Amino acid sequence: MNILNKIIAFIKNIFNKKDNVKMLETPIEPIHNETKKEFANSLKVSLPKKTKPKVETLTCFGDGLGIQNKIEA
């Protein structure tokens, strides 16, 4: 049944042609290079630059144990 419906739809598509594709009209005003450049510049988006935050770490000089001077057990 499904095959018959596909065959009938195919035959209908052959005989029932739709309208041809309509062409767009050409613009009346000539396009200048300046307007093209203005249009291209209007499309550009400027994003603010991201700045990386400064990270400071504490450094310990000496034996590398931080505040402690000696290890006590």
Side-chain angles (χ1 to χ4, degrees):
M1 197 67 183
N2 195 12
I3 296 173
L4 291 175
N5 288 338
K6 288 182 180 181
I7 293 172
I8 293 170
F10 178 73
I11 294 172
K12 283 184 182 179
N13 286 337
I14 291 174
F15 292 111
N16 293 336
K17 299 259 179 174
K18 293 184 178 181
D19 294 336
N20 293 336
V21 176
K22 296 180 182 179
M23 300 297 290
L24 293 174
E25 296 179 10
T26 58
I28 297 170
E29 298 177 8
I31 300 173
H32 300 291
N33 286 338
E34 294 175 2
T35 57
K36 287 182 183 179
K37 290 178 184 176
E38 290 175 5
F39 177 71
N41 288 335
S42 69
L43 293 178
K44 293 181 182 177
V45 178
S46 61
L47 297 175
K49 293 184 179 180
K50 293 182 180 178
T51 58
K52 293 183 180 179
K54 285 190 171 183
V55 178
E56 296 182 9
T57 58
L58 298 174
T59 56
C60 49
F61 299 102
D63 55 2
L65 298 176
I67 300 172
Q68 300 175 356
N69 291 333
K70 295 181 181 179
I71 298 176
E72 295 180 9

